[in-house]
Amino acid sequence: MTDSAVASTERSVQVKLVLLGEAAVGKSSVVLRFVSDEFQANKEPTIGAAFLTQKCRLDDHVLRYEIWDTAGQERFHSLAPMYYRNAQAAVVVYDITKAASLQKAKSWVKELQRQANPKIVIALAGNKVDLVQPSTSSPDANASSEDDGEADDATATPGETPSPEGEPETPRQVPREEAQAYATEAGLLFFETSAKTGENIVELFTEIAKKIPVEEILSKATSNRSGAAGSRAGGARQDNVNLEDNGAKSKDACNC
Amino acid sequence: MKSNDNLKLDEADAIEVDIGDYRNNQDDLYISHHVPTSSRLTSPISSSSDLSPSPSPWYGGTPPVPSYLDSLRASGKASATSLSQLSSPSSSSHALVRTGNGSKLSLVSNTLPPPPLPRSVQPAPKRKLEIEGLVIDPSVLEKLRRWILGIAVVEFDIDHGPVVEGIFPPLFLLPAESENIAFSAFPDSLQFDQGSQVHSFRIREQISSSLSVEELKRPPTKDGFIYGFSHFTQKKDASVRRGYRQHSIVILTQYQYPAFYTYLVSIFGPLYDTHGLPMLESACHNIATWRGPSPGQTMELGFLGTVLYLEIPNTIDEQQLTETSSFKEKYDPRLHILASSPPLIPPPISLFQSCLAQLWSIWECIVLCEPILIIGSSPAQTSQAVWWFRDLLRPLPLAGDIRPYFTMQDGDHALLVNKLPPKAGVILGVTNPFFEKSCSHWPHILSFGRNSEKTDHSIMGKASPSRGTTKSSNSGRGWKTKTHKRHISKDRVLLKQLEAACKGNEQTRLNASVALRGHFCSRTRDFLAPLSRYLHTLIPSPAEVTSAGASGNLRMKPFNSKHFIASLKANGSTLPFRSLKQRTDFYERWLRTPTFGLWLGQQEQIVHVVLEESIRRL
């Protein structure tokens, strides 16, 4: 398909990436924005986990994300290890308008640092930045005010209407500085994002891509080629598969 | 049958059981008891006497040793009407029982007489209600059904035997179908103390075709059969009366894709055992996110944290060869799945160790639609073997009824196993020793030995082998045929390689298995070549097409056996027949098989479509 031409000449690296975070912080929306450059208000809650792929082109190689978008609901918490097992990257998402979601994010980070692949690249994403005063880096200052009154907070939780009529902002509950300080201390990449406007979404995945130890994965993949069942260390592999619709539709998302 | 029968029925109406297989396994489980009440099960199975020995399937569950058996342990043979005991004094936990009118022979442990099984058992345990409580959006359901009918949770009920506790998403099944699934999901003989295992089965849809899809409330099957892929687990559990819990998780599907669904259930089964219902829900929602199966395509599918690469065949009769697979990288069955191929892990060659040199005869029998009984020690073995043979037949269509794992409770039991000669093309995989008796008149039996080796057939699972060494009826292992003599030559070089590979490690055996499969697939193609060549002469030439023009009466000329044999003699065959006479004989026999009719029908159909097309273009 469209991929085979690209893949045959370039080195392609598979990277397993998992999204974690409290329910309704916008994990699926972040992925949808990254993979299809779309936004859907009032998305259904994820059950179990969704699998999507997207490519990211770096200077001398193509990185292909295998993205596991997990369910935030508590009853699915115990399933998370099978998604972050062997993952080379994780995005832990919280909602900047909900302080409790950062606490949950911190506990995910702790769990990853304790139990996941020790070299996993973790990024912390404070999502729904469109709901508060646009941050200085936002190219689209009108995003939140234009959408006043709409209940589309990029989440799945019914009954959470963050922008009440006539009130321009939902109060931010997590100061940017606080989250940044935590991320620095814990050794995480950090972005404030908006799945709705697209702010910082591509940047998030691109920065992760830059931190992935590509050479290491490539050499591991070659030596492990005939390795044990099931443990497919992401490697330069065939690319002539028909990607899921999402993958085939959009071109490389990263451009750096 | 020979002296190594595990279950014998004495002429004098006394019963003797050779439990050689089991005598060293005092601690092992067998198996509770089940006496089917359905009359079909006591119908004309077996021997010339009036006795219809209908031994129960043996389901796991530990038999606490009933103390009343101890007193009975010493004597040798059982009387016809009372409790008898196992012929080995060291066996402590089983008894042979004759119930009712004396027409049933059953192995029981702690219940006496055993409770009859109601036609449709509907216990309502908590889990059943929980499964029923799971909701699924209609749009998700529709997408899910592109791949599977549902996932059944089958539990062992101490009073009723295996019972389908629930299916998610809800699937309409007749009580007989549900019962069939429940029994087919469980092994009917013991293999391990604790562990898990994957096997598959194929059961006939009971619903008459006159019902519409709406009335059925379930998607139509492709061929009138439901395919089940079962992950069975047995583990110690003090909270259960027997001390063991046994259950199976079964993926039910309309597709004949054994390699794929076996892989799927071997991932899902252990995860379900750990996580329960949230996993069931997750798996179904996960599958629903896939695009539908598209023939001829390779798909990348994410499933519960694992990425699968699946190649779907264009048709169910297409050979999916590893050499021509779409996977650019070297084919590795651990990463790449050819949907319709047999499960290749563990390497199938291990199964055939006792009959390597006979594989060429067996292949001939498969091609000639000879009925074959496959006896294994586990459903995992039999199902892998049955799928293996079905696969070697490709690209020939499947004319016979194949059952990867067939139980006595199957609704078709009386139809397939009776005093009559077995139907052409039937391949039955069985583990219940009862079949050795009831199928003793079958012409071909392939036995892997029951309960013999510690063959680890738990696909990616952990099965601790049964305690005690189980030396058993190994003498009966191998290929036994009453009628078939080989027509083609073996590939002796390959045979040597296979023999050597059997001693090698798993990778070596896997490579050898793939090579073996490739060899027979190419033999099937070689076999077809003379037929295809002759068939071409029956297709109207372009000139004939033109002159026939719009009259539209253009058909393929009739297949004439004599002309075909003449063409065969003139052009020869690449198959290494042992003699020219053998060659003629082989093809003549094949022309009388149902496969020939089916194949010819398909060819005519293809030619017809092409002709229509060319006439339209005139």
Side-chain angles (χ1 to χ4, degrees), chain A residues 16 47-48 51 53 64 66 68 75-76 78-79 82-83 225 229 232 236-238 240-242 244-245, chain B residues 271 275 278-279 281-282 285 289 291 297-298 300 302-307 309 326 328-329 334-335:
Chain A
K16 181 176 181 180
I47 292 179
F51 173 72
T53 61
R64 189 160 174 273
E66 297 176 348
W68 293 91
R75 68 190 164 122
F76 295 115
S78 70
L79 313 193
M82 70 189 192
Y83 298 111
R225 190 57 53 81
R232 193 172 54 83
R237 210 205 30 239
Q238 52 74 36
N240 64 334
V241 292
N242 277 316
E244 298 296 296
D245 291 339
Chain B
L271 292 172
H275 300 283
M279 183 56 71
E281 221 182 336
S282 297
H285 277 83
T289 63
R291 279 183 301 132
Q297 302 249 315
T298 298
E300 177 186 46
F303 185 59
L304 304 178
T306 304
V307 182
Y309 295 89
S326 54
K328 255 188 208 165
E329 211 178 55
R334 293 186 192 85
L335 308 180

Side-chain angles (χ1 to χ4, degrees), chain B residues 228 307 537 579:
Chain B
V307 182
T537 67
S579 73

Side-chain angles (χ1 to χ4, degrees), chain B residues 202 223 227 254-258 316 339-340 387 390 394 398:
Chain B
R202 179 180 194 247
D223 54 5
Y227 295 85
Q254 57 275 54
Y255 293 104
Q256 211 184 103
Y257 295 153
I316 201 59
S340 68
W387 288 123
R390 186 271 172 271
R394 295 187 170 100
L398 179 70

Side-chain angles (χ1 to χ4, degrees), chain B residues 200 342-348 351 379-389 457:
Chain B
S200 43
L344 293 171
I345 295 169
L351 275 180
Q381 285 187 343
T382 63
S383 48
Q384 192 182 29
V386 170
W387 288 123
W388 171 270
F389 291 125
H457 261 268

